[in-house]
Amino acid sequence: MSDVSKGDVWVVVLHEIMMHIQKFVDDNPMEYKGKEMKAYTTGLGMVAILCKRMIEDIKGEKNE
């Protein structure tokens, strides 16, 4: 069997979400400007931080 765990899969998925978040910020598909752009990037940044913390938690559990 494979050595891949559910945690490993989640790390990959969360990392991919973070890459998509960065692409959304860079591309600005809704063409936000001003305060809307600040709110948009702040919201996406919060999601990216959440993903990063989740990855850290998953890796911490694996090391225990």
Side-chain angles (χ1 to χ4, degrees), residues 12-30:
V12 171
V13 170
L14 290 166
H15 183 265
E16 286 297 317
I17 290 171
M18 290 173 64
M19 296 299 103
H20 284 287
I21 289 169
Q22 186 59 53
K23 183 164 176 30
F24 285 134
V25 171
D26 293 343
D27 292 350
N28 187 14
M30 300 299 287

Side-chain angles (χ1 to χ4, degrees), residues 2-63:
S2 174
D3 290 339
V4 177
S5 69
K6 290 181 202 175
D8 295 327
V9 173
W10 272 110
V11 167
V12 171
V13 170
L14 290 166
H15 183 265
E16 286 297 317
I17 290 171
M18 290 173 64
M19 296 299 103
H20 284 287
I21 289 169
Q22 186 59 53
K23 183 164 176 30
F24 285 134
V25 171
D26 293 343
D27 292 350
N28 187 14
M30 300 299 287
E31 298 179 2
Y32 291 127
K33 293 178 181 21
K35 289 182 181 179
E36 289 178 336
M37 182 63 174
K38 185 174 182 178
Y40 176 71
T41 56
T42 299
L44 289 174
M46 291 170 68
V47 175
I49 290 169
L50 177 62
C51 290
K52 182 179 177 183
R53 297 284 192 247
M54 290 172 71
I55 289 170
E56 290 169 357
D57 285 348
I58 292 167
K59 286 183 175 181
E61 289 173 5
K62 189 173 181 180
N63 291 334

